[in-house]
Every structure is written in C-alpha cells, then in structure tokens.
Amino acid sequence: MEGQFGWGREEGGWRKGPWTAQEDKLLVECVRQHGEGRWNSVAKLTGLKRSGKSCRLRWVNYLRPDLKRSKITPQEESVILELHALWGNRWSTIARSLPGRTDNEIKNYWRTHFKKGKPSKNIERARARFLKQRREMQSQLLLQQQQGQDQQHQQQRQRQAGDDHDDGAVTREASSSPAVSLAAQHEEDLQMLQQDMDDLLFQFCCPIASCASSSCLLPSATAASASASEEGSSGDHPQLDGGATWGWGGLWNLDDVVDDVDGGACGGWDDTSFPWLQDQGLAFY
DNA sequence: AAAAAATTCAACCGCTTATTT
DNA sequence: AAAATAAGCGGTTGAATTTTT
C-alpha cells in the first residue's frame, strides 16, 4: 500500500499524502484508547509515521464517528450561506452550527459552489422567500402605522372637545403641542416600529439566533458585522435590493432546518461507528 | 471513444492562539 | 514572565473523478 498514490512520500521521517486503511485503523484504535488530543504522542503510541498535525486532521476531517458522510442538503446549504454572510470565512464557527460537518467540508463546499458568485437554485428560492417575508412585514407595518394615526387623531379631537368645555382652566399636555413636535413624534414611532420589524424578521427568519441564549454560537452582533467585513469577504456577498447584505435578513424556513438535525448526534462508539473501515475488511475490533 | 476542461475534496502549509514548562 | 510546544484555523494545492467537447 505504501506509495499507492503518486504523492505518498516521507519527509523528515513523517509519512505524507493519502492515508491508508491500516493507518486509519491504528489512529482510530489510538483515539479510542487514549481519547482525542495529545496528537503528537500518537506516533509513539501506535508506530504511525504521521505527525500529530496530520493525525489530528485525519481524525477531525475523516475518521470521527459523528461525521455525516452524505451530501450537503439544501437546508444545510442555506445555513452555510446565511452564516457565511454573517461571519465571513470563519469556517470552524460555521461548522459548529452544522452537526456532523467539518470546517474543511464547508469551506470546500462554499468555494466550489459560491465563490464565483453563482447562486444555486436553492439560494434563489431562499432569497425569494426572504423578499416575500420582507414585503409582508412592510405592508403590515404600514397598516399598523395608519391605524395608529387614526386613533391618535380621534383622541386628539376628543380632547379638544373636552377642553372647550372647561374654559381653558387646565393646561394642555405635550401631546397637543404644535404640529412640528407631532411630526417628530410620528418619526420616532416610525423608527421604533421599523426596529421592531427588523427584530421580528431576525427572530423569525434566523433559528440559530433563537438558540443563542441556550448554547450556541452566535457571537455579538458587533463581532459578527466586524468579521463579515474583514478580509474582503463581504465583497462576495449577494446584495439585497436596498444594498443590504441579504444573508442578514434571514433565509431559513424553520421547518427546513429542524428537519435536518438528525444524524448529527454524537452517540457512543460501537462496531458500527466506522463502517468505512469495515468495508475494507478492517473492522473496528 | 478519447482528449481536454472543470470540479471535487483530502491533505498540506503557514500562521495564530492556547497551554505547558 | 518568557520560551517552547501543541492545537486549531484558514488558505492553497494537486490527484482523482466527472463532465464536456
């Protein structure tokens, strides 16, 4: 098996290149007995001619029993895009939101599918969904605004009628102040409603945010926006009509995401945990 | 059917950060 | 507190595979 592939080689006593099934088995056995970490001692413990760095990489990206070995689903794709829009090239951070997926896998997937700026059909669907949600929220906002204004005018009229009867003995409140401050008040209300709408949109469209308090992953908004703009990564983001980075508004359909949280659980190991070794006649025991 | 081009993905490298001595 | 070592991360490479011409 040594040198099976052209670039299998040794350098400074360390083997490099593709791993053989025997090497995999040794590494799996070692991790099973001694646990993860202390990668530099793997060579001593197993006789493997692999550096600690190489062992760690092989374990993390390929041998870990909790890895999904299936294709990225459209739901996962949406999550990747959303989180990439949020955090930029922080692949390991993104990977933490996708059980069973590695940073390397996500990085490769993103580069091959989206680096050149060609959004997939799934993404276009997600984008359309987001825009529709936004339109609906906006029309709802307008409606609320109009209702609020009508109510305010009605109250104003009632108050004025009341004042006419008490001969001006009572000083008028700020709410019946000149038109200028009324307009300012409206403007303030509008901004608050807009903020509410943004918050609602975020909560509704971003299920990851909803788990931020319980366990997750979501760095502060400030850190998020900072990272998104670093290293030019924001330049790769598709843009919304208004110029906003469209990942931020949320693409998720909650059902889509929840559906796919199976299989990522990291249960205990047993002899079925490494089927790819069994396939090669290298059963775990 | 064959050659060329494009895509995929495992593994490497260099750098940064965390931990140990 | 400083140096050494280990772990982790993101970018890049290149062999293998798939698709296109």
Side-chain angles (χ1 to χ4, degrees):
Chain A
M1 276 293 194
E2 300 281 321
Q4 179 186 1
F5 302 99
W7 60 311
R9 63 198 192 270
E10 282 196 28
E11 240 176 66
W14 298 124
R15 257 185 59 77
K16 294 189 174 185
W19 282 63
T20 65
Q22 284 90 342
E23 286 178 312
D24 282 347
K25 193 193 174 201
L26 282 171
L27 180 54
V28 167
E29 192 64 34
C30 181
V31 174
R32 196 175 70 86
Q33 283 178 7
H34 302 97
E36 291 183 52
R38 301 170 51 87
W39 297 109
N40 281 334
S41 52
V42 172
K44 286 175 208 151
L45 290 165
T46 65
L48 264 175
K49 287 186 172 182
R50 292 281 182 172
S51 69
K53 206 169 178 175
S54 181
C55 291
R56 177 192 158 271
L57 200 74
R58 183 64 177 171
W59 175 258
V60 167
N61 285 339
Y62 192 78
L63 294 174
R64 261 167 49 199
D66 57 317
L67 289 180
K68 284 181 184 172
R69 306 179 83 80
S70 54
K71 287 200 163 191
I72 301 275
T73 65
Q75 289 80 15
E76 288 174 315
E77 184 187 270
S78 292
V79 174
I80 290 168
L81 277 151
E82 182 72 15
L83 296 184
H84 185 267
L86 197 56
W87 294 330
N89 296 359
R90 293 185 174 181
W91 306 114
S92 64
T93 307
I94 295 170
R96 279 179 216 127
S97 296
L98 291 160
R101 302 296 184 190
T102 69
D103 55 352
N104 210 32
E105 189 177 11
I106 291 166
K107 178 172 61 182
N108 281 334
Y109 187 83
W110 191 86
R111 282 175 187 275
T112 56
H113 288 78
F114 307 110
K115 182 62 179 176
K116 287 169 188 168
K118 192 187 83 180
S120 73
K121 282 185 179 168
N122 177 60
I123 274 312
E124 286 177 336
R125 276 200 302 276
R127 182 172 187 268
R129 197 163 62 219
F130 169 76
L131 290 171
K132 188 179 166 208
Q133 282 168 0
R134 195 176 67 159
R135 272 198 304 275
E136 285 168 4
M137 292 292 279
Q138 274 173 338
S139 57
Q140 216 175 330
L141 171 68
L142 274 172
L143 199 67
Q144 278 181 332
Q145 226 179 295
Q146 279 178 346
Q147 284 171 348
Q149 276 179 355
D150 290 348
Q151 220 172 349
Q152 207 166 6
H153 288 149
Q154 208 175 343
Q155 283 170 353
Q156 208 173 329
R157 275 197 299 274
Q158 282 171 355
R159 263 198 302 274
Q160 276 174 347
D163 287 349
D164 288 347
H165 287 298
D166 65 23
D167 294 320
V170 179
T171 313
R172 288 186 184 159
E173 295 175 11
S175 63
S176 53
S177 53
V180 177
S181 62
L182 259 178
Q185 182 66 42
H186 282 153
E187 182 62 29
E188 212 175 303
D189 289 347
L190 186 65
Q191 281 174 6
M192 282 177 70
L193 275 165
Q194 183 70 49
Q195 181 63 51
D196 286 348
M197 190 185 86
D198 289 343
D199 291 347
L200 267 171
L201 254 181
F202 180 73
Q203 286 168 22
F204 178 70
C205 300
C206 180
I208 296 297
S210 66
C211 70
S213 56
S214 57
S215 68
C216 268
L217 310 167
L218 198 65
S220 71
T222 326
S225 55
S227 80
S229 60
E230 74 187 5
E231 67 198 8
S233 59
S234 62
D236 296 327
H237 302 157
Q239 298 284 305
L240 275 180
D241 298 348
T245 302
W246 71 281
W248 182 242
L251 302 170
W252 286 297
N253 176 320
L254 199 53
D255 295 336
D256 291 348
V257 176
V258 172
D259 281 347
D260 196 57
V261 185
D262 63 351
C266 325
W269 302 353
D270 56 27
D271 50 2
T272 61
S273 299
F274 303 95
W276 57 98
L277 287 182
Q278 290 178 319
D279 289 347
Q280 301 171 70
L282 292 164
F284 192 32
Y285 282 106

